[in-house]
Amino acid sequence: MISTDYTNNSRVKRKVYGIIGAAITLIIPFFLMLNNHNDHLETDQSFCPFKMVTGFPCPGCGITKSLVYFYQGDIYKSVSYHILGPFVILFCWLTIIILTTEIITKKEYFKGILYNRKLAYNMAYFLAFYHLIRLVLFVRNNSFDDILHQSIWF
């Protein structure tokens, strides 16, 4: 009986952490949006450690700015920063709703979808392909000096 209680408590704890993570993902860009006077996020240094060191974007670069511009109602600019930005918002809201419902009802929903290896691989392939396209366009549109200026080394 103790091991079952421990397993249930561990699952509930992971779900609470998931809810907190999704809420933070939604809240931080919201506050950045409130402080985006004169559209300073367009020109500010990236928050991404990978981009700060290399000058090249990582697969997740642009998600935060995408969420900020989505909150401002500029869907075109949101998608131009990262095509998955609006989907991140949808995913976070669904995560909060589903995990909260699972905690309240003590049932698990969508377990087959959320823990589906094939779906995870397909999403990873999509992200890798999307990132490859972004890198090609990034290199095509930026000179070596521009890339260096986007890092912390220049």
Side-chain angles (χ1 to χ4, degrees), residues 113-129:
I113 295 172
L114 294 176
Y115 299 103
N116 185 326
R117 186 176 297 198
K118 187 176 181 180
L119 178 64
Y121 282 130
N122 285 328
M123 290 174 67
Y125 293 141
F126 172 79
L127 186 59
F129 181 70

Side-chain angles (χ1 to χ4, degrees), residues 44-106:
D44 283 357
Q45 176 71 31
S46 174
F47 298 132
C48 176
F50 183 81
K51 188 167 187 177
M52 292 170 94
V53 172
T54 66
F56 290 97
C58 77
C61 273
I63 289 279
T64 303
K65 288 180 183 180
S66 178
L67 298 183
V68 167
Y69 290 111
F70 184 86
Y71 287 152
Q72 288 181 346
D74 193 343
I75 305 300
Y76 177 77
K77 195 180 260 189
S78 172
V79 171
S80 72
Y81 272 104
H82 203 291
I83 198 165
L84 297 178
F87 295 104
V88 167
I89 292 173
L90 177 65
F91 179 77
C92 287
W93 277 110
L94 287 174
T95 298
I96 292 168
I97 292 167
I98 291 168
L99 293 180
T100 302
T101 304
E102 286 182 356
I103 291 171
I104 292 169
T105 63
K106 297 182 178 151

Side-chain angles (χ1 to χ4, degrees), residues 4 8 13 26 34 37 41 43 51 55 65 73 75-76 86 121 123 129-131 136 143 145-147 151-153:
T4 305
N8 289 337
K13 191 182 287 188
L26 293 171
L34 293 177
H37 308 293
L41 285 177
T43 56
K51 188 167 187 177
K65 288 180 183 180
I75 305 300
Y76 177 77
Y121 282 130
M123 290 174 67
F129 181 70
Y130 175 66
H131 185 59
V136 168
S143 69
D145 286 339
D146 292 337
I147 294 170
S151 72
I152 59 175
W153 305 111

